[in-house]
Amino acid sequence: DRGEERPDRVAVLTRTESELGQAISKEAPKGYDVLFLGFSRMVRSDGTFSPKVDTAIASFDGPFVLVWAGGDRDIAQRDELKILVPVNGTEVSRRAAELAFAMAPASGAAITTLLVSERFSISRSRSAHGKVERAVLEDIAALGKQYGHGEVKAAVHGRTSPDAAILDEARRSASDLLVLGANRRVGEHLYLGQTVSRVLRRWKGPIVIVVS
């Protein structure tokens, strides 16, 4: 817009390597804050990740983001997006929401935040738990405004599992993209918990997972 400062130039370096693990292990010590990964076959039909993902993250100790187009290969070319971001008050879910706000143009995206409540409706209770849930949604809405998203829709689902709530709301809101936050579980292979695994088994569209 007129009067705004020009954005700083972004340096993009492209390198070609033949071996994934070796390439990341060479780059990782150079001080990167986050690793973005995108493969054509990242997720198996049972909701687990391909060995290629394990190879990639084995050499990177920091947070990483998994990007998968699913069955929609043209998602990056869309002018308008409907994005669903589940939030629960954890730092990693807040990071996922912030990434969604940052990558989506304020004028061409509709972002819905989803909170899975222990009750059917947070408006029916003035309990401490209800106040926490309202605070979570208000914090995310304020975060969205910092990125130019003046209106952030909020949905609350209760009496259901988190994965069922995510998939139900994705269908209801006709979401094009899911942005999830997850903590990595201990183990030899990448595992992000039952919620993520169940969502990946049933969701066939584009998804972005922020892993802390």
Side-chain angles (χ1 to χ4, degrees), residues 28 30-36 60-64 95 211:
K30 298 181 181 180
Y32 294 96
D33 298 311
V34 62
L35 171 67
F36 283 80
F60 194 82
D61 294 329
F64 54 93
R95 289 180 180 177
V211 185

Side-chain angles (χ1 to χ4, degrees), residues 58-74:
S59 302
F60 194 82
D61 294 329
F64 54 93
V65 179
L66 305 177
V67 183
W68 185 49
D72 189 352
R73 303 295 177 179
D74 299 324

Side-chain angles (χ1 to χ4, degrees), residues 43-49 66 68 167 180 192 194-204 207 209:
V43 182
R44 295 166 167 168
S45 60
D46 61 355
T48 59
F49 295 100
L66 305 177
W68 185 49
L167 294 168
L180 309 179
L192 303 178
Q194 287 188 354
T195 296
V196 173
S197 181
R198 289 172 178 171
V199 169
L200 290 175
R201 281 201 296 267
R202 297 172 58 190
W203 175 257
K204 303 306 178 184
I207 189 168
I209 307 177

Side-chain angles (χ1 to χ4, degrees), residues 82-158:
K82 292 182 179 179
I83 303 174
L84 178 62
V85 188
V87 295
N88 57 12
T90 61
E91 182 62 28
V92 71
S93 74
R94 194 176 191 274
R95 289 180 180 177
E98 186 168 14
L99 178 61
F101 293 138
M103 70 180 182
S107 60
I111 298 179
T112 300
T113 58
L114 169 66
L115 189 147
V116 181
S117 174
E118 293 183 359
R119 294 175 310 283
F120 184 73
S121 174
I122 62 175
S123 62
R124 297 180 182 178
S125 174
R126 295 182 179 274
S127 66
H129 190 77
K131 292 179 181 178
V132 170
E133 290 177 334
R134 286 191 293 273
V136 170
L137 294 176
E138 290 170 358
D139 172 66
I140 297 300
L143 182 63
K145 289 182 180 179
Q146 295 179 22
Y147 285 88
H149 296 271
E151 181 181 356
V152 178
K153 299 178 182 178
V156 179
H157 286 227

Side-chain angles (χ1 to χ4, degrees), residues 177-189:
L177 171 68
L178 299 184
V179 181
L180 309 179
N183 289 306
R184 182 179 181 180
R185 306 301 200 270
V186 176
E188 181 180 355
H189 303 290

